[in-house]
Amino acid sequence: MSYLTAQSGSDGLADNSMEFVVFFCDKQDISAIKVDVRMNKEQQLVLHHDTLEEGQYYVALEDVFAYIARENSPIRINCDLKETGLEEVVYGLANKYALWPQVELSGTVACSYLLKWSNQILMNIENGMDDSFHGEHIGRWGENVLLEALAKLSRSHARVININHQLFTDAVQEKGKQLALEFSLWTVNDLNAIGNYEKENIYNITTRKAWTYVQLKGVQTG
């Protein structure tokens, strides 16, 4: 059975907003929400995808955790780290609200954490590449580079690989099977593609149409 993750901003809600968190917090058919995490100058974790700007308001990750804990929601929280060195800070904050078992890390996660938290890390495939590939457009990552990255991450004890669904070729899927890896695919917005990936039992599917897909699926099976 695949997990279904609502990408920040799913179904027309504002990216990295409390509105987004509140909407999906009680949706039983949604496995997780994904938020982007950075640290501001006050050493506070906040939700935002791009570089932070002075004078702008950003939702605090602590407010997200506090709300989910207060609602006693089982929703998983995929914290996509946009900067290095945030792993322990997220861990400490999640522990404060007894939510660490519900937290998943993706983004710039150091491979050194794989042995410690392998079941809670969706390891981005680029973390297995040489630094020279970082910042390159994904269209320039050849298939050989992807296969080498899978092998490297497998040796580092990765369990689930987070990868753009456009890069999830037959060769990548086959290499993953050989290495006993599972895949988390982002960002899959075609409703038929989501259904097909579910049939293949892909570990996780992240989408900006999570609620739309759940409603459509309910109509089809109702």
Side-chain angles (χ1 to χ4, degrees):
M1 180 177 175
S2 301
Y3 291 113
L4 185 68
T5 296
Q7 165 79 21
S8 173
S10 184
D11 296 275
L13 297 166
D15 287 354
N16 293 304
S17 65
M18 281 304 299
E19 175 191 22
F20 162 74
V21 174
V22 170
F23 180 83
F24 281 103
C25 187
D26 64 350
K27 301 297 186 289
Q28 294 183 358
D29 293 314
I30 306 297
S31 308
I33 56 171
K34 175 184 170 289
V35 294
D36 303 303
V37 179
R38 289 185 178 272
M39 182 174 284
N40 65 17
K41 289 185 177 180
E42 291 71 42
Q43 303 300 297
Q44 179 185 41
L45 294 173
V46 296
L47 274 53
H48 195 58
H49 185 278
D50 300 321
T51 304
L52 302 180
E53 298 180 12
E54 290 284 348
Q56 295 295 315
Y57 168 77
Y58 302 106
V59 174
L61 182 61
E62 181 161 12
D63 289 343
V64 173
F65 285 169
Y67 178 82
I68 291 173
R70 186 167 63 249
E71 294 297 309
N72 197 28
S73 170
I75 195 86
R76 294 157 63 147
I77 312 103
N78 174 198
C79 294
D80 195 58
L81 309 185
K82 296 302 180 183
E83 304 169 6
T84 58
L86 300 184
E87 298 93 340
E88 295 288 350
V89 191
V90 173
Y91 171 74
L93 192 60
N95 260 346
K96 178 179 177 180
Y97 292 93
L99 286 177
W100 177 244
Q102 291 171 231
V103 172
E104 296 171 326
L105 300 180
S106 61
T108 58
V109 182
C111 289
S112 57
Y113 285 94
L114 284 168
L115 269 176
K116 187 177 182 182
W117 297 330
S118 63
N119 291 331
Q120 290 173 252
I121 295 176
L122 309 178
M123 181 55 81
N124 284 48
I125 193 166
E126 57 266 35
N127 294 338
M129 299 178 188
D130 294 336
D131 290 343
S132 60
F133 290 99
H134 293 189
E136 291 273 359
H137 187 275
I138 60 172
R140 299 183 64 182
W141 296 347
E143 201 166 62
N144 286 340
V145 172
L146 299 175
L147 299 183
E148 289 173 8
L150 289 178
K152 179 179 178 181
L153 292 174
S154 175
R155 291 194 297 271
S156 297
H157 305 284
R159 191 176 74 83
V160 182
I161 303 300
N162 202 36
I163 183 172
N164 186 298
H165 73 100
Q166 295 174 319
L167 302 177
F168 190 58
T169 63
D170 290 343
V172 168
Q173 186 172 18
E174 181 58 33
K175 184 69 171 180
K177 288 180 180 178
Q178 293 173 9
L179 296 171
L181 294 171
E182 295 192 82
F183 290 94
S184 168
L185 306 183
W186 60 271
T187 302
V188 187
N189 296 324
D190 181 273
L191 301 180
N192 289 327
I194 296 172
N196 290 335
Y197 286 136
E198 280 193 331
K199 290 174 184 176
E200 293 183 45
N201 292 317
I202 297 301
Y203 180 83
N204 176 67
I205 304 159
T206 298
T207 176
R208 280 186 175 271
K209 295 186 177 181
W211 189 235
T212 301
Y213 177 73
V214 166
Q215 289 181 303
L216 177 65
K217 191 175 179 181
V219 169
Q220 292 175 342
T221 58

mmCIF file of all heavy atoms in Angstrom, residues 63-100:
data_model
loop_
_atom_site.group_PDB
_atom_site.id
_atom_site.type_symbol
_atom_site.label_atom_id
_atom_site.label_comp_id
_atom_site.label_asym_id
_atom_site.label_seq_id
_atom_site.Cartn_x
_atom_site.Cartn_y
_atom_site.Cartn_z
ATOM 1 N N ASP A 63 4.755 25.862 15.529
ATOM 2 C CA ASP A 63 3.305 26.057 15.516
ATOM 3 C C ASP A 63 2.600 24.895 14.809
ATOM 4 O O ASP A 63 1.501 24.491 15.207
ATOM 5 C CB ASP A 63 2.952 27.374 14.820
ATOM 6 C CG ASP A 63 3.348 28.594 15.640
ATOM 7 O OD1 ASP A 63 3.597 28.442 16.855
ATOM 8 O OD2 ASP A 63 3.430 29.692 15.058
ATOM 9 N N VAL A 64 3.246 24.375 13.767
ATOM 10 C CA VAL A 64 2.690 23.210 13.063
ATOM 11 C C VAL A 64 2.667 22.000 13.985
ATOM 12 O O VAL A 64 1.642 21.313 14.117
ATOM 13 C CB VAL A 64 3.513 22.905 11.790
ATOM 14 C CG1 VAL A 64 3.046 21.598 11.152
ATOM 15 C CG2 VAL A 64 3.412 24.052 10.801
ATOM 16 N N PHE A 65 3.788 21.723 14.639
ATOM 17 C CA PHE A 65 3.864 20.588 15.554
ATOM 18 C C PHE A 65 2.869 20.748 16.712
ATOM 19 O O PHE A 65 2.209 19.779 17.107
ATOM 20 C CB PHE A 65 5.284 20.449 16.100
ATOM 21 C CG PHE A 65 6.273 19.872 15.130
ATOM 22 C CD1 PHE A 65 7.633 19.892 15.409
ATOM 23 C CD2 PHE A 65 5.867 19.301 13.930
ATOM 24 C CE1 PHE A 65 8.557 19.353 14.528
ATOM 25 C CE2 PHE A 65 6.783 18.762 13.039
ATOM 26 C CZ PHE A 65 8.137 18.787 13.345
ATOM 27 N N ALA A 66 2.779 21.965 17.249
ATOM 28 C CA ALA A 66 1.881 22.205 18.384
ATOM 29 C C ALA A 66 0.431 21.946 17.981
ATOM 30 O O ALA A 66 -0.339 21.338 18.745
ATOM 31 C CB ALA A 66 2.042 23.635 18.895
ATOM 32 N N TYR A 67 0.070 22.373 16.781
ATOM 33 C CA TYR A 67 -1.302 22.170 16.314
ATOM 34 C C TYR A 67 -1.604 20.690 16.118
ATOM 35 O O TYR A 67 -2.651 20.181 16.561
ATOM 36 C CB TYR A 67 -1.541 22.934 15.007
ATOM 37 C CG TYR A 67 -2.934 22.729 14.453
ATOM 38 C CD1 TYR A 67 -3.998 23.482 14.940
ATOM 39 C CD2 TYR A 67 -3.194 21.770 13.468
ATOM 40 C CE1 TYR A 67 -5.295 23.279 14.460
ATOM 41 C CE2 TYR A 67 -4.477 21.567 12.985
ATOM 42 C CZ TYR A 67 -5.515 22.323 13.487
ATOM 43 O OH TYR A 67 -6.786 22.114 13.016
ATOM 44 N N ILE A 68 -0.709 19.979 15.466
ATOM 45 C CA ILE A 68 -0.925 18.553 15.204
ATOM 46 C C ILE A 68 -0.978 17.761 16.507
ATOM 47 O O ILE A 68 -1.807 16.856 16.665
ATOM 48 C CB ILE A 68 0.171 18.014 14.259
ATOM 49 C CG1 ILE A 68 -0.027 18.616 12.861
ATOM 50 C CG2 ILE A 68 0.161 16.487 14.204
ATOM 51 C CD1 ILE A 68 1.079 18.300 11.890
ATOM 52 N N ALA A 69 -0.129 18.129 17.460
ATOM 53 C CA ALA A 69 -0.153 17.457 18.767
ATOM 54 C C ALA A 69 -1.452 17.749 19.506
ATOM 55 O O ALA A 69 -2.057 16.851 20.106
ATOM 56 C CB ALA A 69 1.047 17.917 19.599
ATOM 57 N N ARG A 70 -1.890 19.001 19.454
ATOM 58 C CA ARG A 70 -3.132 19.394 20.141
ATOM 59 C C ARG A 70 -4.351 18.681 19.558
ATOM 60 O O ARG A 70 -5.266 18.281 20.275
ATOM 61 C CB ARG A 70 -3.303 20.908 20.045
ATOM 62 C CG ARG A 70 -4.477 21.454 20.846
ATOM 63 C CD ARG A 70 -4.416 22.963 20.971
ATOM 64 N NE ARG A 70 -4.519 23.626 19.676
ATOM 65 C CZ ARG A 70 -3.521 24.291 19.087
ATOM 66 N NH1 ARG A 70 -2.329 24.363 19.668
ATOM 67 N NH2 ARG A 70 -3.700 24.878 17.915
ATOM 68 N N GLU A 71 -4.331 18.493 18.226
ATOM 69 C CA GLU A 71 -5.442 17.810 17.562
ATOM 70 C C GLU A 71 -5.330 16.294 17.661
ATOM 71 O O GLU A 71 -6.228 15.573 17.225
ATOM 72 C CB GLU A 71 -5.480 18.219 16.085
ATOM 73 C CG GLU A 71 -5.810 19.682 15.846
ATOM 74 C CD GLU A 71 -7.191 20.043 16.340
ATOM 75 O OE1 GLU A 71 -8.152 19.335 15.980
ATOM 76 O OE2 GLU A 71 -7.314 21.048 17.074
ATOM 77 N N ASN A 72 -4.210 15.840 18.209
ATOM 78 C CA ASN A 72 -3.961 14.401 18.323
ATOM 79 C C ASN A 72 -4.096 13.712 16.967
ATOM 80 O O ASN A 72 -4.661 12.627 16.848
ATOM 81 C CB ASN A 72 -4.921 13.771 19.338
ATOM 82 C CG ASN A 72 -4.457 12.406 19.808
ATOM 83 O OD1 ASN A 72 -3.258 12.118 19.830
ATOM 84 N ND2 ASN A 72 -5.395 11.545 20.165
ATOM 85 N N SER A 73 -3.573 14.371 15.941
ATOM 86 C CA SER A 73 -3.667 13.854 14.578
ATOM 87 C C SER A 73 -2.544 12.855 14.297
ATOM 88 O O SER A 73 -1.398 13.085 14.675
ATOM 89 C CB SER A 73 -3.571 15.009 13.578
ATOM 90 O OG SER A 73 -3.429 14.517 12.254
ATOM 91 N N PRO A 74 -2.867 11.765 13.601
ATOM 92 C CA PRO A 74 -1.836 10.789 13.249
ATOM 93 C C PRO A 74 -1.077 11.150 11.970
ATOM 94 O O PRO A 74 -0.230 10.381 11.518
ATOM 95 C CB PRO A 74 -2.639 9.504 13.051
ATOM 96 C CG PRO A 74 -3.949 9.997 12.510
ATOM 97 C CD PRO A 74 -4.220 11.303 13.215
ATOM 98 N N ILE A 75 -1.391 12.291 11.366
ATOM 99 C CA ILE A 75 -0.767 12.663 10.093
ATOM 100 C C ILE A 75 0.751 12.690 10.224
ATOM 101 O O ILE A 75 1.295 13.107 11.246
ATOM 102 C CB ILE A 75 -1.287 14.045 9.608
ATOM 103 C CG1 ILE A 75 -0.952 14.288 8.140
ATOM 104 C CG2 ILE A 75 -0.739 15.173 10.465
ATOM 105 C CD1 ILE A 75 -1.939 13.749 7.185
ATOM 106 N N ARG A 76 1.433 12.228 9.202
ATOM 107 C CA ARG A 76 2.887 12.291 9.172
ATOM 108 C C ARG A 76 3.306 13.646 8.611
ATOM 109 O O ARG A 76 2.587 14.250 7.821
ATOM 110 C CB ARG A 76 3.442 11.156 8.308
ATOM 111 C CG ARG A 76 3.167 9.790 8.930
ATOM 112 C CD ARG A 76 3.182 8.687 7.908
ATOM 113 N NE ARG A 76 4.486 8.519 7.275
ATOM 114 C CZ ARG A 76 4.970 7.348 6.869
ATOM 115 N NH1 ARG A 76 4.266 6.265 7.054
ATOM 116 N NH2 ARG A 76 6.128 7.267 6.286
ATOM 117 N N ILE A 77 4.451 14.134 9.053
ATOM 118 C CA ILE A 77 4.944 15.430 8.619
ATOM 119 C C ILE A 77 6.291 15.234 7.928
ATOM 120 O O ILE A 77 7.277 14.889 8.572
ATOM 121 C CB ILE A 77 5.099 16.419 9.787
ATOM 122 C CG1 ILE A 77 3.848 16.445 10.673
ATOM 123 C CG2 ILE A 77 5.404 17.826 9.265
ATOM 124 C CD1 ILE A 77 4.003 15.700 11.960
ATOM 125 N N ASN A 78 6.291 15.412 6.610
ATOM 126 C CA ASN A 78 7.527 15.321 5.833
ATOM 127 C C ASN A 78 8.178 16.701 5.840
ATOM 128 O O ASN A 78 7.709 17.624 5.183
ATOM 129 C CB ASN A 78 7.212 14.864 4.417
ATOM 130 C CG ASN A 78 8.425 14.880 3.484
ATOM 131 O OD1 ASN A 78 8.270 14.867 2.270
ATOM 132 N ND2 ASN A 78 9.637 14.935 4.036
ATOM 133 N N CYS A 79 9.249 16.830 6.596
ATOM 134 C CA CYS A 79 10.001 18.080 6.664
ATOM 135 C C CYS A 79 11.095 18.040 5.604
ATOM 136 O O CYS A 79 12.071 17.286 5.738
ATOM 137 C CB CYS A 79 10.611 18.262 8.047
ATOM 138 S SG CYS A 79 9.395 18.487 9.365
ATOM 139 N N ASP A 80 10.912 18.834 4.553
ATOM 140 C CA ASP A 80 11.885 18.879 3.462
ATOM 141 C C ASP A 80 12.899 19.966 3.796
ATOM 142 O O ASP A 80 12.594 21.159 3.718
ATOM 143 C CB ASP A 80 11.174 19.181 2.144
ATOM 144 C CG ASP A 80 12.053 18.886 0.945
ATOM 145 O OD1 ASP A 80 12.503 17.733 0.812
ATOM 146 O OD2 ASP A 80 12.297 19.810 0.138
ATOM 147 N N LEU A 81 14.086 19.562 4.192
ATOM 148 C CA LEU A 81 15.096 20.498 4.678
ATOM 149 C C LEU A 81 15.754 21.224 3.518
ATOM 150 O O LEU A 81 16.349 20.611 2.632
ATOM 151 C CB LEU A 81 16.149 19.746 5.495
ATOM 152 C CG LEU A 81 15.598 18.834 6.609
ATOM 153 C CD1 LEU A 81 16.740 18.248 7.420
ATOM 154 C CD2 LEU A 81 14.611 19.574 7.507
ATOM 155 N N LYS A 82 15.656 22.550 3.536
ATOM 156 C CA LYS A 82 16.192 23.376 2.461
ATOM 157 C C LYS A 82 17.584 23.898 2.770
ATOM 158 O O LYS A 82 18.182 24.601 1.952
ATOM 159 C CB LYS A 82 15.237 24.551 2.177
ATOM 160 C CG LYS A 82 13.871 24.116 1.656
ATOM 161 C CD LYS A 82 14.033 23.308 0.381
ATOM 162 C CE LYS A 82 12.706 22.840 -0.175
ATOM 163 N NZ LYS A 82 12.873 21.990 -1.366
ATOM 164 N N GLU A 83 18.108 23.568 3.931
ATOM 165 C CA GLU A 83 19.454 23.964 4.331
ATOM 166 C C GLU A 83 20.108 22.787 5.037
ATOM 167 O O GLU A 83 19.423 21.921 5.589
ATOM 168 C CB GLU A 83 19.404 25.164 5.290
ATOM 169 C CG GLU A 83 18.681 26.375 4.752
ATOM 170 C CD GLU A 83 18.426 27.412 5.828
ATOM 171 O OE1 GLU A 83 18.925 27.231 6.968
ATOM 172 O OE2 GLU A 83 17.732 28.401 5.553
ATOM 173 N N THR A 84 21.419 22.769 5.051
ATOM 174 C CA THR A 84 22.134 21.711 5.765
ATOM 175 C C THR A 84 22.129 21.994 7.265
ATOM 176 O O THR A 84 21.973 23.130 7.706
ATOM 177 C CB THR A 84 23.582 21.598 5.271
ATOM 178 O OG1 THR A 84 24.237 22.861 5.460
ATOM 179 C CG2 THR A 84 23.623 21.227 3.798
ATOM 180 N N GLY A 85 22.303 20.937 8.035
ATOM 181 C CA GLY A 85 22.484 21.081 9.475
ATOM 182 C C GLY A 85 21.223 21.263 10.293
ATOM 183 O O GLY A 85 21.298 21.673 11.457
ATOM 184 N N LEU A 86 20.069 20.927 9.736
ATOM 185 C CA LEU A 86 18.810 21.136 10.464
ATOM 186 C C LEU A 86 18.268 19.862 11.107
ATOM 187 O O LEU A 86 17.273 19.906 11.838
ATOM 188 C CB LEU A 86 17.742 21.709 9.526
ATOM 189 C CG LEU A 86 18.039 23.057 8.861
ATOM 190 C CD1 LEU A 86 16.818 23.512 8.053
ATOM 191 C CD2 LEU A 86 18.427 24.110 9.880
ATOM 192 N N GLU A 87 18.904 18.737 10.850
ATOM 193 C CA GLU A 87 18.345 17.458 11.280
ATOM 194 C C GLU A 87 18.084 17.401 12.790
ATOM 195 O O GLU A 87 16.989 17.037 13.227
ATOM 196 C CB GLU A 87 19.283 16.305 10.885
ATOM 197 C CG GLU A 87 19.491 16.146 9.390
ATOM 198 C CD GLU A 87 20.722 16.896 8.874
ATOM 199 O OE1 GLU A 87 21.178 17.820 9.592
ATOM 200 O OE2 GLU A 87 21.189 16.561 7.777
ATOM 201 N N GLU A 88 19.084 17.724 13.581
ATOM 202 C CA GLU A 88 18.951 17.600 15.037
ATOM 203 C C GLU A 88 17.964 18.610 15.610
ATOM 204 O O GLU A 88 17.280 18.331 16.601
ATOM 205 C CB GLU A 88 20.317 17.782 15.704
ATOM 206 C CG GLU A 88 21.335 16.701 15.375
ATOM 207 C CD GLU A 88 21.038 15.367 16.035
ATOM 208 O OE1 GLU A 88 20.143 15.301 16.914
ATOM 209 O OE2 GLU A 88 21.716 14.374 15.676
ATOM 210 N N VAL A 89 17.876 19.778 14.989
ATOM 211 C CA VAL A 89 16.943 20.798 15.481
ATOM 212 C C VAL A 89 15.499 20.350 15.256
ATOM 213 O O VAL A 89 14.646 20.511 16.134
ATOM 214 C CB VAL A 89 17.200 22.160 14.788
ATOM 215 C CG1 VAL A 89 16.422 23.258 15.512
ATOM 216 C CG2 VAL A 89 18.678 22.492 14.757
ATOM 217 N N VAL A 90 15.231 19.782 14.078
ATOM 218 C CA VAL A 90 13.897 19.249 13.808
ATOM 219 C C VAL A 90 13.581 18.112 14.775
ATOM 220 O O VAL A 90 12.474 18.038 15.335
ATOM 221 C CB VAL A 90 13.780 18.759 12.347
ATOM 222 C CG1 VAL A 90 12.443 18.047 12.124
ATOM 223 C CG2 VAL A 90 13.930 19.927 11.377
ATOM 224 N N TYR A 91 14.550 17.240 14.989
ATOM 225 C CA TYR A 91 14.373 16.106 15.910
ATOM 226 C C TYR A 91 14.013 16.595 17.318
ATOM 227 O O TYR A 91 13.062 16.098 17.941
ATOM 228 C CB TYR A 91 15.646 15.270 15.949
ATOM 229 C CG TYR A 91 15.674 14.211 17.019
ATOM 230 C CD1 TYR A 91 14.912 13.055 16.902
ATOM 231 C CD2 TYR A 91 16.464 14.369 18.156
ATOM 232 C CE1 TYR A 91 14.926 12.081 17.891
ATOM 233 C CE2 TYR A 91 16.493 13.399 19.149
ATOM 234 C CZ TYR A 91 15.723 12.256 19.014
ATOM 235 O OH TYR A 91 15.739 11.304 19.999
ATOM 236 N N GLY A 92 14.757 17.590 17.809
ATOM 237 C CA GLY A 92 14.504 18.107 19.147
ATOM 238 C C GLY A 92 13.122 18.733 19.275
ATOM 239 O O GLY A 92 12.419 18.522 20.272
ATOM 240 N N LEU A 93 12.725 19.487 18.255
ATOM 241 C CA LEU A 93 11.416 20.135 18.281
ATOM 242 C C LEU A 93 10.288 19.111 18.205
ATOM 243 O O LEU A 93 9.275 19.222 18.898
ATOM 244 C CB LEU A 93 11.315 21.126 17.125
ATOM 245 C CG LEU A 93 10.146 22.106 17.147
ATOM 246 C CD1 LEU A 93 10.198 22.976 18.392
ATOM 247 C CD2 LEU A 93 10.172 22.977 15.897
ATOM 248 N N ALA A 94 10.459 18.096 17.364
ATOM 249 C CA ALA A 94 9.449 17.039 17.256
ATOM 250 C C ALA A 94 9.315 16.275 18.567
ATOM 251 O O ALA A 94 8.200 15.941 18.997
ATOM 252 C CB ALA A 94 9.799 16.092 16.121
ATOM 253 N N ASN A 95 10.436 16.004 19.206
ATOM 254 C CA ASN A 95 10.409 15.309 20.495
ATOM 255 C C ASN A 95 9.679 16.112 21.554
ATOM 256 O O ASN A 95 8.993 15.557 22.419
ATOM 257 C CB ASN A 95 11.836 15.017 20.965
ATOM 258 C CG ASN A 95 12.241 13.583 20.684
ATOM 259 O OD1 ASN A 95 11.395 12.743 20.381
ATOM 260 N ND2 ASN A 95 13.522 13.299 20.787
ATOM 261 N N LYS A 96 9.817 17.435 21.492
ATOM 262 C CA LYS A 96 9.148 18.313 22.457
ATOM 263 C C LYS A 96 7.644 18.090 22.443
ATOM 264 O O LYS A 96 6.986 18.180 23.489
ATOM 265 C CB LYS A 96 9.471 19.771 22.124
ATOM 266 C CG LYS A 96 8.792 20.786 23.013
ATOM 267 C CD LYS A 96 9.177 22.214 22.624
ATOM 268 C CE LYS A 96 8.436 23.247 23.468
ATOM 269 N NZ LYS A 96 8.815 24.630 23.088
ATOM 270 N N TYR A 97 7.104 17.777 21.277
ATOM 271 C CA TYR A 97 5.664 17.554 21.138
ATOM 272 C C TYR A 97 5.311 16.077 20.964
ATOM 273 O O TYR A 97 4.190 15.748 20.563
ATOM 274 C CB TYR A 97 5.129 18.380 19.961
ATOM 275 C CG TYR A 97 5.183 19.859 20.241
ATOM 276 C CD1 TYR A 97 6.288 20.612 19.855
ATOM 277 C CD2 TYR A 97 4.156 20.490 20.934
ATOM 278 C CE1 TYR A 97 6.358 21.977 20.137
ATOM 279 C CE2 TYR A 97 4.209 21.847 21.214
ATOM 280 C CZ TYR A 97 5.322 22.580 20.825
ATOM 281 O OH TYR A 97 5.385 23.929 21.111
ATOM 282 N N ALA A 98 6.271 15.199 21.263
ATOM 283 C CA ALA A 98 6.066 13.743 21.160
ATOM 284 C C ALA A 98 5.609 13.345 19.766
ATOM 285 O O ALA A 98 4.796 12.436 19.596
ATOM 286 C CB ALA A 98 5.068 13.268 22.215
ATOM 287 N N LEU A 99 6.162 14.008 18.749
ATOM 288 C CA LEU A 99 5.756 13.747 17.363
ATOM 289 C C LEU A 99 6.850 13.098 16.512
ATOM 290 O O LEU A 99 6.614 12.833 15.331
ATOM 291 C CB LEU A 99 5.333 15.067 16.681
ATOM 292 C CG LEU A 99 3.992 15.660 17.090
ATOM 293 C CD1 LEU A 99 3.777 16.996 16.375
ATOM 294 C CD2 LEU A 99 2.848 14.709 16.781
ATOM 295 N N TRP A 100 8.010 12.857 17.104
ATOM 296 C CA TRP A 100 9.098 12.349 16.264
ATOM 297 C C TRP A 100 8.711 11.099 15.470
ATOM 298 O O TRP A 100 9.080 10.976 14.293
ATOM 299 C CB TRP A 100 10.351 12.088 17.094
ATOM 300 C CG TRP A 100 11.461 11.496 16.280
ATOM 301 C CD1 TRP A 100 12.033 10.259 16.429
ATOM 302 C CD2 TRP A 100 12.128 12.107 15.168
ATOM 303 N NE1 TRP A 100 13.015 10.054 15.485
ATOM 304 C CE2 TRP A 100 13.090 11.181 14.698
ATOM 305 C CE3 TRP A 100 12.003 13.333 14.513
ATOM 306 C CZ2 TRP A 100 13.914 11.448 13.608
ATOM 307 C CZ3 TRP A 100 12.832 13.601 13.423
ATOM 308 C CH2 TRP A 100 13.772 12.664 12.990
#
